Amino acid sequence: ETGVTQSPTHLIKTRGQQVTLRCSSQSGHNTVSWYQQALGQGPQFIFQYYREEENGRGNFPPRFSGLQFPNYSSELNVNAWELDDSALYLCASSLAEGANEQFFGPGTRLTVL
Amino acid sequence: AQKVTQAQTEISVVEKEDVTLDCVYETRDTTYYLFWYKQPPSGELVFLIRRNSFDEQNEISGRYSWNFQKSTSSFNFTITASQVVDSAVYFCALTSEGSNFGNEKLTFGTGTRLTIIP
């Protein structure tokens, strides 16, 4: 059974750039959630995708967007990174029914200069 | 609104001592789920336990045990005979039964950094 994978591992961007983060869900999982974890903080929910549609969104601006593909993998896209966006971006996959535990990937560490 | 509070920012104990990590939560929902995750230095969150709001039985898994008390809205985590490998940041999290299906967003606490001194 393959776990959750994310790419890239690390990323350095300058303000205003656009970037795509990728996530492959664990085998058999149909739901993907994205979280932002600033240094010294707990993860903050960005959004969740189920059946290729957004299924809930946290308090993040519209420049944070996502996609889910038929194979349940997902992308997080951010237009115009800002300094405050420097964080660890975590992807988690799960089965939709019954508040099952979410399994997390290793994350993408983003630094905005 | 949901909220999870982990008042202990950092804890250090000597190896083989017992340690308890506190978690207090707030929610208006009657059906909810509580979780503990471990985050080692590598950064990946590791699932430890899930507990639903209707099951207040305490649980033990090896050196780990969890004490869920709805009366005080607490879900505390105890490590018995701590080991150096237990050093990590531990997060308590909460989710509720959503309108579509049960798997809504997780609300995390700010975490407790646990250091086990050899």
Side-chain angles (χ1 to χ4, degrees), chain A residues 35 37 41-43 45 48 50 55 88 90 94-96 98-102 104-106, chain B residues 33 35 37 39 42-45 47 50 91 95 100-106 108-110:
Chain A
Y35 293 82
Q37 186 179 15
Q41 300 297 314
F45 176 74
Q48 182 182 84
Y50 171 64
N55 180 58
L88 179 67
L90 294 162
S94 57
L95 287 170
N100 287 295
E101 54 269 30
Q102 298 183 18
F104 286 80
Chain B
Y33 300 82
F35 301 78
Y37 282 87
Q39 189 173 43
S42 61
E44 187 169 340
L45 283 165
F47 166 79
R50 177 186 65 169
F91 290 97
T95 190
N100 295 329
F101 48 80
N103 205 346
E104 299 294 336
K105 68 173 186 176
L106 286 170
F108 284 86
T110 51

Side-chain angles (χ1 to χ4, degrees), chain B residues 26 39 82:
Chain B
E26 296 176 28
Q39 189 173 43
S82 60

Side-chain angles (χ1 to χ4, degrees), chain A:
Chain A
E1 185 177 86
T2 306
V4 179
T5 60
Q6 292 185 243
S7 62
T9 306
H10 293 87
L11 206 53
I12 299 175
K13 290 291 180 180
T14 56
R15 288 180 63 187
Q17 284 191 293
Q18 187 272 340
V19 72
T20 298
L21 308 183
R22 294 181 172 81
C23 170
S24 292
S25 61
Q26 183 165 312
S27 177
H29 286 181
N30 53 16
T31 302
V32 173
S33 304
W34 286 91
Y35 293 82
Q36 179 196 67
Q37 186 179 15
L39 196 62
Q41 300 297 314
Q44 297 291 316
F45 176 74
I46 303 175
F47 43 58
Q48 182 182 84
Y49 278 83
Y50 171 64
R51 290 184 177 175
E52 302 177 53
E53 291 192 2
E54 188 178 286
N55 180 58
R57 187 179 183 92
N59 189 25
F60 281 81
R63 58 191 181 81
F64 284 78
S65 64
L67 286 172
Q68 186 181 31
F69 300 97
N71 65 355
Y72 305 128
S73 65
S74 177
E75 289 182 354
L76 165 64
N77 298 290
V78 182
N79 294 320
W81 290 103
E82 298 180 0
L83 293 177
D84 287 348
D85 295 334
S86 294
L88 179 67
Y89 287 84
L90 294 162
C91 167
S93 74
S94 57
L95 287 170
E97 295 75 22
N100 287 295
E101 54 269 30
Q102 298 183 18
F103 291 88
F104 286 80
T108 295
R109 187 163 298 281
L110 170 72
T111 302
V112 182
L113 301 176

Side-chain angles (χ1 to χ4, degrees), chain B:
Chain B
Q2 299 183 332
K3 184 178 180 181
V4 175
T5 301
Q6 294 180 257
Q8 303 154 308
T9 306
E10 295 191 29
I11 299 176
S12 294
V13 300
V14 176
E15 194 174 19
K16 298 184 182 177
E17 288 185 351
D18 299 346
V19 58
T20 295
L21 309 182
D22 298 334
C23 172
V24 174
Y25 62 91
E26 296 176 28
T27 180
R28 296 177 182 176
D29 297 311
T30 54
T31 302
Y32 53 89
Y33 300 82
L34 294 160
F35 301 78
W36 276 94
Y37 282 87
K38 174 182 180 180
Q39 189 173 43
S42 61
E44 187 169 340
L45 283 165
V46 178
F47 166 79
L48 296 177
I49 190 171
R50 177 186 65 169
R51 172 69 59 188
N52 74 56
S53 52
F54 297 108
D55 182 2
E56 288 194 69
Q57 282 192 347
N58 292 333
E59 182 160 338
I60 298 174
S61 176
R63 296 184 298 107
Y64 296 169
S65 62
W66 291 269
N67 183 355
F68 176 31
Q69 292 194 343
K70 287 180 74 171
S71 61
T72 57
S73 297
S74 65
F75 186 44
N76 296 336
F77 172 32
T78 297
I79 301 175
T80 303
S82 60
Q83 300 177 2
V84 172
V85 293
D86 296 326
S87 295
V89 180
Y90 290 85
F91 290 97
C92 180
L94 167 69
T95 190
S96 297
E97 193 80 9
S99 57
N100 295 329
F101 48 80
N103 205 346
E104 299 294 336
K105 68 173 186 176
L106 286 170
T107 298
F108 284 86
T110 51
T112 298
R113 180 176 299 279
L114 176 63
T115 302
I116 308 301
I117 304 166

